[in-house]
Amino acid sequence: MQNKYEHIQQEAYEANMQLPKLGLVLFTFGNVSAADRDLGVFAIKPSGIPYEELTPAKMVIVDFDANTVKGSLRPSSDTKTHAVLYKHWDRINGIAHTHSIYATAWAQSLRDIPIYGTTHADHITCDVPCAPPMNDEMIKGNYEYETGFQIMNALKEKGLRYEEVEMILVGNHAPFTWGKTAAKAVYNSAVLENIAQMAYLTESIKADSLRLKEALIKKHYERKHGPDSYYGQQ
Amino acid sequence: MQNKYEHIQQEAYEANMQLPKLGLVLFTFGNVSAADRDLGVFAIKPSGIPYEELTPAKMVIVDFDANTVKGSLRPSSDTKTHAVLYKHWDRINGIAHTHSIYATAWAQSLRDIPIYGTTHADHITCDVPCAPPMNDEMIKGNYEYETGFQIMNALKEKGLRYEEVEMILVGNHAPFTWGKTAAKAVYNSAVLENIAQMAYLTESIKADSLRLKEALIKKHYERKHGPDSYYGQQ
Amino acid sequence: MQNKYEHIQQEAYEANMQLPKLGLVLFTFGNVSAADRDLGVFAIKPSGIPYEELTPAKMVIVDFDANTVKGSLRPSSDTKTHAVLYKHWDRINGIAHTHSIYATAWAQSLRDIPIYGTTHADHITCDVPCAPPMNDEMIKGNYEYETGFQIMNALKEKGLRYEEVEMILVGNHAPFTWGKTAAKAVYNSAVLENIAQMAYLTESIKADSLRLKEALIKKHYERKHGPDSYYGQQ
Amino acid sequence: MQNKYEHIQQEAYEANMQLPKLGLVLFTFGNVSAADRDLGVFAIKPSGIPYEELTPAKMVIVDFDANTVKGSLRPSSDTKTHAVLYKHWDRINGIAHTHSIYATAWAQSLRDIPIYGTTHADHITCDVPCAPPMNDEMIKGNYEYETGFQIMNALKEKGLRYEEVEMILVGNHAPFTWGKTAAKAVYNSAVLENIAQMAYLTESIKADSLRLKEALIKKHYERKHGPDSYYGQQ
């Protein structure tokens, strides 16, 4: 019998398996999902299963209201956050969440990561935003659901578009990243960890570090992502 | 002839072998034990034997008064600490001791590790306690035995329960962790090292870092360990 | 049919593959080239191709005016910087560019790396220079081409010779290194990252660290590179 | 024909090969020697040869006045330092020199490494000494030979015995360690790097860190090295 979700289960599986390879997770502290817009669902890592025991078939299929559609395992405890973001941001098909060391330390510090260099500007043109912690009512309420709104509101308040800024820190918690595919979301998680470590060291080396100037930010972003970009093939 | 200790020797062996894999030890600087409550004994790593030479059969069997019951090798020099904890804390069956870099640095700083984020709150709801160094009489006396009491007293004074707080720093020395199994004790050692590194970076990034607020601490702990937990399978 | 560029394609390929092995790059954030002075061209990594997909044949052949001579893939987006340096510095046959963590953090701090020890003096006798960021006109203009001039001018202003100082930081960006061969350029990138990490730690350990004194700088450099050097074989 | 130096060549080879495995060297930045007191010689790594090309037969045989006795390759550029130490300290048979990151950063900071914890006290009972940089005359003279005296004098001035304190930092340069065997010297290099990293983090976590108290120093050292030691087997 045909399994019509096989392609996103495979995609989610492969993307999840990249997390330990890239050094972004300890034990099971991370999860990636892959969505199919036509089917209106996403495949996500089951909760608390060690990476070495994962298989594509174990990826749980969930709809954008966080209802499990297929799968006998319980989906990631962060599933509602994924669902909310997919529901409201219709151009993304992948989301990743890790507790990677440096990005999490910035999240715990409740600070945006300042844009200090071109490694950062190659990917986004603003500081990496840090969403403020929720108020106590939201925490006691539908916590993971509210986390999704906390992320969306933080972008909105800073005037940022999710199509361009594919990463955020959730204050006191850890980073979330997204993209056109699950693989791109994981790529963004690795880039964010890289940027977070460099920014930490930059401030340690020079206490009063200056943010990158606008011309350089624009140049580096445009050469990778602008209409006349010349990075990569095509 | 049957060896009735084989199961805990195997368990202790496997748990000890996880320490170098998780990057928690240099050379032989660590030890894990696994207890059987019915037999009233635990299996522990022999002292000073390199990990690559360990076998399950080399694990030494010791009773809760620290007497060797079976085994030709000398047990870990920290054996008495393990014995004291098993004797007084009847719900644990595994103990791990490492000199992992970041947790040891906090122990050397004589500071509790402040709870700065949800990675921490996913595991315990308080700062990781640091037991004060012993007085000189205790050090010159039955040192490893007293280390066990130092650990128990530090928890007691802070009003913490060993069933919930499965990790501690021994001031000037290094961390001890425990749990229902030897594998869980090792898991806690890795989590503690992770938390210790993140807290160090958090303070480096923001000098006046704030502890996590209560609502968030409670939420994260409960979703993993509370009566209505929804992390993991079942 | 003969491919007269095969030797530099092979050399560039092997040098590029060293970058991930030495821990100097994340994803595709780096590039190495190898020049043949007689043919007046260099082989360089194609843009945005993952290291695991590289082959010698995929290395793009470019002349010293940055025109592609052979190859169907687009060359590295930093190709013009390589071309400018080869054109003006006729004694180098290899150039490497990475975003290695510590060297990049110093570049983001806009600071020269002070010479604090003999590991540094074994390779160069001055602080590692940091070229200032370009002015906005240059950034908006022929950016990668100007980067080459920025590097050359920074050396010139500090009175340094490229034959002796084979490494530089480009302010806000990241390091470039070079040498007689592509392999030597990569070697210099690894040495620079090593020096950068040690200098960072030196300042962290002692706030008012002192630069190495002249006699020691000279001694260490001379024993490796002077007329009476006695390091290495012959 | 018999090679009477084969045993120390083998020992030196194996000890040298441990350096990259333990993460203590970049490229060829380190060397280990193994001495035979009856033959009055030591085997040492040849200068500038990559670790992957080393063989036992390539180890150069040198006497205690630094004359090459056997071998076609040039011995390590630090050979005279080894020779001086073997000549004056007749109870050691192994010496190791690395530029390991954290120990070298302390050496560059010209600071002794304070004794902050029991990991340190398990090995030595004092701060790790840092020999002051040489005066300019000594540097310009027989540099590596003088380095040996610099090491010996630094111990003497602090009232330390080389049989107990098997490690030192040479100011502005890097660490040297020694021991009864080449393997022990390498072990000490790894322990020193571990101690150096922990002390760095300890000071970062708590600015006014206190040295370990005497009773604890003595206890930990004695349980490993005292007449009634109970660490390890026998």
Side-chain angles (χ1 to χ4, degrees):
Chain A
M1 211 191 92
Q2 182 110 37
N3 167 11
K4 65 179 172 178
Y5 305 120
E6 205 175 323
H7 61 299
I8 50 174
Q9 285 180 314
Q10 183 66 31
E11 188 188 345
Y13 168 75
E14 287 175 10
N16 273 291
M17 295 308 286
Q18 283 299 308
L19 295 186
K21 275 187 200 152
L22 289 163
L24 299 172
V25 293
L26 175 68
F27 297 127
T28 61
F29 306 176
N31 46 74
V32 188
S33 64
D36 182 313
R37 291 284 165 186
D38 293 331
L39 296 171
V41 298
F42 59 97
I44 192 166
K45 180 167 159 290
S47 184
I49 306 288
Y51 285 92
E52 55 269 33
E53 295 175 19
L54 289 185
T55 61
K58 283 183 182 163
M59 298 295 126
V60 186
I61 304 299
V62 181
D63 68 21
F64 297 162
D65 291 314
N67 302 303
T68 295
V69 171
K70 179 178 156 73
S72 54
L73 295 169
R74 188 189 273 172
S76 165
S77 57
D78 296 301
T79 295
K80 283 184 186 168
T81 308
H82 291 242
V84 168
L85 294 180
Y86 282 126
K87 186 156 191 175
H88 293 81
W89 290 351
D90 56 13
R91 297 194 185 177
I92 64 170
N93 301 307
I95 297 173
H97 171 52
T98 78
H99 284 218
S100 68
I101 299 277
Y102 288 89
T104 301
W106 281 93
Q108 292 188 167
S109 301
L110 303 182
R111 286 187 58 194
D112 296 352
I113 303 178
I115 183 164
Y116 285 135
T118 63
T119 318
H120 187 134
D122 281 336
H123 297 93
I124 63 173
T125 60
C126 58
D127 296 353
V128 178
C130 181
M134 286 173 229
N135 65 42
D136 289 10
E137 297 316 300
M138 288 162 78
I139 291 171
K140 286 175 191 157
N142 198 339
Y143 177 66
E144 289 81 11
Y145 182 78
E146 298 286 4
T147 297
F149 283 97
Q150 198 73 1
I151 290 170
M152 289 190 292
N153 290 339
L155 280 198
K156 207 173 294 175
E157 277 168 33
K158 287 169 192 273
L160 304 174
R161 299 176 60 245
Y162 75 85
E163 298 93 332
E164 286 177 5
V165 179
E166 298 182 330
M167 53 183 73
I168 199 167
L169 307 174
V170 175
N172 286 141
H173 188 166
F176 280 83
T177 62
W178 51 88
K180 294 257 183 211
T181 62
K184 182 68 191 320
V186 169
Y187 170 92
N188 286 333
S189 287
V191 165
L192 172 52
E193 180 67 2
N194 197 244
I195 288 172
Q197 184 176 6
M198 286 178 178
Y200 159 72
L201 291 170
T202 300
E203 295 192 350
S204 299
I205 290 169
K206 187 174 181 183
D208 55 337
S209 297
L210 290 175
R211 288 180 76 255
L212 205 57
K213 59 183 177 174
E214 283 310 313
L216 198 49
I217 290 173
K218 198 168 168 218
K219 179 65 197 177
H220 265 264
Y221 189 74
E222 297 285 313
R223 72 177 201 161
K224 264 202 158 173
H225 309 283
D228 304 317
S229 75
Y230 46 93
Y231 183 90
Q233 304 302 323
Q234 314 267 16
Chain B
M1 210 192 92
Q2 181 110 38
N3 167 10
K4 64 180 173 178
Y5 305 119
E6 205 176 322
H7 61 299
I8 51 174
Q9 284 181 315
Q10 183 67 30
E11 188 187 345
Y13 168 74
E14 287 174 10
N16 273 292
M17 295 307 286
Q18 283 300 306
L19 295 186
K21 275 189 199 151
L22 288 163
L24 298 173
V25 293
L26 175 68
F27 298 126
T28 60
F29 306 176
N31 45 72
V32 188
S33 64
D36 182 313
R37 289 286 164 185
D38 293 332
L39 297 172
V41 298
F42 59 96
I44 191 165
K45 180 167 159 290
S47 185
I49 305 288
Y51 285 94
E52 54 269 33
E53 295 175 19
L54 289 184
T55 59
K58 283 184 182 163
M59 298 294 128
V60 186
I61 303 299
V62 180
D63 69 22
F64 297 162
D65 291 313
N67 303 303
T68 295
V69 170
K70 180 179 157 70
S72 55
L73 295 170
R74 188 189 273 172
S76 164
S77 59
D78 296 302
T79 295
K80 282 182 186 168
T81 309
H82 290 242
V84 168
L85 295 180
Y86 282 126
K87 185 157 190 173
H88 292 81
W89 290 352
D90 55 13
R91 297 193 184 179
I92 64 169
N93 301 307
I95 297 173
H97 171 53
T98 80
H99 285 218
S100 68
I101 299 277
Y102 289 89
T104 302
W106 281 92
Q108 293 188 165
S109 302
L110 303 182
R111 286 186 59 194
D112 297 351
I113 304 178
I115 183 165
Y116 284 136
T118 63
T119 317
H120 187 135
D122 281 337
H123 297 93
I124 63 173
T125 60
C126 58
D127 295 352
V128 178
C130 181
M134 286 173 230
N135 65 42
D136 289 9
E137 297 316 301
M138 288 162 77
I139 291 171
K140 285 175 193 159
N142 198 339
Y143 177 66
E144 289 80 11
Y145 182 79
E146 298 287 4
T147 298
F149 283 98
Q150 199 72 2
I151 290 170
M152 290 190 292
N153 290 339
L155 280 199
K156 208 173 293 174
E157 275 166 35
K158 288 169 192 272
L160 304 174
R161 298 176 60 245
Y162 76 85
E163 298 93 333
E164 286 178 4
V165 179
E166 298 182 332
M167 54 184 71
I168 198 166
L169 307 174
V170 175
N172 287 141
H173 188 166
F176 280 83
T177 61
W178 51 87
K180 294 257 185 213
T181 62
K184 182 68 191 319
V186 169
Y187 170 93
N188 286 334
S189 287
V191 165
L192 172 52
E193 180 66 2
N194 196 245
I195 288 173
Q197 184 176 7
M198 286 177 178
Y200 160 71
L201 291 170
T202 300
E203 295 192 349
S204 298
I205 290 169
K206 188 174 180 182
D208 55 337
S209 297
L210 290 175
R211 288 180 76 254
L212 205 58
K213 60 183 177 174
E214 284 309 313
L216 198 50
I217 290 173
K218 197 169 169 213
K219 179 65 197 178
H220 265 263
Y221 190 75
E222 297 283 313
R223 72 177 200 160
K224 264 202 158 172
H225 310 282
D228 304 318
S229 76
Y230 47 92
Y231 182 89
Q233 305 302 324
Q234 312 271 13
Chain C
M1 210 191 92
Q2 182 111 35
N3 168 10
K4 65 179 171 179
Y5 306 119
E6 205 175 324
H7 61 299
I8 50 175
Q9 284 180 315
Q10 183 67 31
E11 188 188 344
Y13 168 74
E14 287 174 10
N16 273 291
M17 295 307 286
Q18 283 300 308
L19 295 186
K21 275 188 200 150
L22 289 163
L24 299 173
V25 293
L26 175 68
F27 298 127
T28 61
F29 307 177
N31 46 74
V32 188
S33 64
D36 182 313
R37 290 285 163 185
D38 293 331
L39 297 171
V41 298
F42 59 97
I44 191 167
K45 180 166 160 291
S47 184
I49 305 288
Y51 286 94
E52 55 270 32
E53 295 175 19
L54 289 184
T55 61
K58 283 184 182 163
M59 298 295 127
V60 186
I61 304 300
V62 181
D63 69 20
F64 298 161
D65 291 314
N67 302 304
T68 295
V69 170
K70 180 178 156 73
S72 55
L73 295 169
R74 188 189 274 171
S76 165
S77 58
D78 296 303
T79 294
K80 283 182 187 169
T81 309
H82 292 242
V84 168
L85 295 180
Y86 282 126
K87 186 157 190 173
H88 292 81
W89 290 351
D90 55 13
R91 297 194 185 177
I92 64 169
N93 300 307
I95 297 174
H97 172 52
T98 79
H99 284 217
S100 68
I101 300 277
Y102 288 89
T104 302
W106 280 92
Q108 292 189 165
S109 301
L110 304 182
R111 287 187 58 194
D112 297 350
I113 304 178
I115 183 164
Y116 285 136
T118 63
T119 318
H120 187 134
D122 281 337
H123 296 92
I124 63 173
T125 60
C126 59
D127 296 353
V128 179
C130 181
M134 285 172 233
N135 65 44
D136 289 10
E137 297 317 299
M138 289 163 77
I139 291 170
K140 286 174 191 157
N142 198 340
Y143 177 66
E144 289 80 10
Y145 181 77
E146 298 287 4
T147 298
F149 284 96
Q150 199 73 3
I151 290 170
M152 290 190 293
N153 291 338
L155 280 198
K156 208 173 295 174
E157 276 167 35
K158 287 169 192 272
L160 304 174
R161 298 176 60 244
Y162 74 85
E163 299 92 333
E164 286 178 5
V165 179
E166 299 182 330
M167 53 183 72
I168 199 167
L169 307 174
V170 175
N172 286 142
H173 188 166
F176 280 83
T177 61
W178 51 88
K180 294 256 184 213
T181 62
K184 182 68 192 318
V186 169
Y187 169 92
N188 286 334
S189 287
V191 165
L192 173 52
E193 180 68 1
N194 196 245
I195 288 173
Q197 183 175 7
M198 284 177 179
Y200 160 72
L201 291 170
T202 300
E203 295 193 351
S204 299
I205 290 169
K206 188 174 180 183
D208 54 338
S209 297
L210 289 175
R211 287 180 78 254
L212 206 57
K213 59 182 176 175
E214 283 310 313
L216 198 50
I217 290 173
K218 199 170 167 215
K219 179 66 197 177
H220 265 265
Y221 189 75
E222 296 284 313
R223 72 177 201 161
K224 264 204 158 171
H225 309 282
D228 304 316
S229 75
Y230 46 94
Y231 182 90
Q233 304 303 323
Q234 311 277 10
Chain D
M1 211 191 91
Q2 182 110 35
N3 167 10
K4 66 180 172 179
Y5 305 119
E6 205 175 324
H7 61 299
I8 51 175
Q9 285 181 316
Q10 182 66 31
E11 188 187 345
Y13 168 74
E14 287 175 10
N16 272 291
M17 295 308 286
Q18 283 299 308
L19 296 185
K21 275 189 200 149
L22 288 163
L24 298 173
V25 293
L26 175 68
F27 298 127
T28 60
F29 307 176
N31 46 73
V32 189
S33 64
D36 182 313
R37 290 286 164 185
D38 293 331
L39 296 172
V41 298
F42 59 98
I44 191 165
K45 180 166 159 291
S47 184
I49 305 289
Y51 285 94
E52 54 269 32
E53 295 175 20
L54 289 184
T55 60
K58 283 184 183 163
M59 298 294 127
V60 187
I61 304 299
V62 181
D63 70 21
F64 296 163
D65 291 314
N67 302 304
T68 295
V69 170
K70 181 179 156 71
S72 54
L73 296 169
R74 188 189 274 171
S76 165
S77 58
D78 296 303
T79 295
K80 283 184 188 168
T81 309
H82 291 242
V84 168
L85 295 180
Y86 282 126
K87 186 156 190 173
H88 292 80
W89 291 351
D90 55 13
R91 298 195 184 177
I92 64 169
N93 301 306
I95 297 174
H97 171 52
T98 79
H99 285 217
S100 68
I101 299 278
Y102 288 89
T104 301
W106 280 92
Q108 293 188 165
S109 302
L110 304 182
R111 286 186 59 195
D112 296 352
I113 304 179
I115 184 164
Y116 284 136
T118 62
T119 318
H120 187 135
D122 282 337
H123 297 93
I124 62 173
T125 60
C126 58
D127 296 353
V128 178
C130 180
M134 284 172 233
N135 65 42
D136 289 9
E137 297 316 300
M138 288 162 77
I139 292 171
K140 286 173 193 161
N142 198 340
Y143 177 66
E144 290 81 11
Y145 181 78
E146 297 288 2
T147 298
F149 284 97
Q150 198 73 2
I151 290 170
M152 289 190 293
N153 290 339
L155 280 199
K156 208 173 295 176
E157 276 167 34
K158 288 169 192 272
L160 304 174
R161 298 175 60 244
Y162 75 86
E163 298 93 332
E164 285 178 4
V165 178
E166 298 182 330
M167 53 184 73
I168 198 166
L169 307 174
V170 176
N172 286 141
H173 188 167
F176 280 84
T177 61
W178 51 87
K180 295 255 185 215
T181 63
K184 182 68 192 315
V186 170
Y187 170 93
N188 287 333
S189 287
V191 165
L192 172 53
E193 180 67 1
N194 196 244
I195 288 172
Q197 184 176 7
M198 285 177 178
Y200 160 71
L201 292 170
T202 300
E203 295 192 351
S204 299
I205 290 169
K206 188 176 180 182
D208 55 338
S209 296
L210 291 174
R211 288 180 77 253
L212 205 57
K213 59 183 177 175
E214 283 309 314
L216 198 50
I217 290 173
K218 199 170 168 213
K219 179 65 198 178
H220 264 263
Y221 190 76
E222 296 284 314
R223 72 177 200 161
K224 264 204 157 172
H225 309 282
D228 303 318
S229 76
Y230 46 93
Y231 183 89
Q233 305 302 323
Q234 312 271 14

